[in-house]
Amino acid sequence: MDKEAIKTKLLEDIKITEKSIKDYKELTKPISPSDAIGRVSRMDAINNKSVNEASLRQAEIKLTNLKRVLSKIDDDDFGICLKCKHPIPVGRILIRPESLLCVNCAR
């Protein structure tokens, strides 16, 4: 397993996720009642804010998981499924580095 490639991928994903979090925080700022928008537009803005808040929470969870995996990359059991103890394929680690389970156990 090429841990250096995985580490590079993790750092890249962390950077992208941190940018997404920054963008989502901007989109989830409170909607001022004094904004001159129509009632329907205001309801739409509130709905979009809720969707962005959910996306923000998911991005924050992903960032936490990515950082956890990065901190464990040098461990002897890195790349081993937590459930079945079989090696996780490198392709899965590169596609979804925050995952600690193989595809079968993740189902």
Side-chain angles (χ1 to χ4, degrees):
M1 182 179 309
D2 186 7
K3 288 189 179 183
E4 207 50 46
I6 294 170
K7 189 173 187 177
T8 301
K9 174 71 170 143
L10 283 168
L11 292 171
E12 181 182 312
D13 284 357
I14 287 171
K15 185 177 177 181
I16 291 168
T17 305
E18 285 174 338
K19 185 189 179 319
S20 294
I21 288 172
K22 182 180 173 190
D23 293 343
Y24 287 133
K25 283 185 177 180
E26 188 66 31
L27 292 170
T28 58
K29 287 185 176 177
I31 300 163
S32 173
S34 63
D35 286 348
I37 57 178
R39 185 178 59 125
V40 173
S41 297
R42 181 165 171 71
M43 289 172 42
D44 190 41
I46 290 169
N47 185 47
N48 288 340
K49 182 178 180 285
S50 297
V51 170
N52 288 324
E53 286 172 342
S55 296
L56 173 62
R57 284 189 301 273
Q58 288 177 337
E60 288 171 337
I61 291 168
K62 180 178 181 178
L63 181 62
T64 300
N65 291 337
L66 287 169
K67 288 182 177 180
R68 184 187 68 230
V69 170
L70 183 62
S71 72
K72 295 181 180 280
I73 197 164
D74 293 322
D75 292 356
D76 291 336
D77 62 347
F78 178 78
I80 304 297
C81 177
L82 292 178
K83 197 170 183 181
C84 70
K85 306 299 182 204
H86 287 98
I88 299 172
V90 176
R92 176 163 173 80
I93 294 173
L94 290 174
I95 292 171
R96 195 174 166 108
E98 70 273 15
S99 181
L100 300 175
L101 301 174
C102 67
V103 174
N104 290 332
C105 292
R107 291 181 192 177

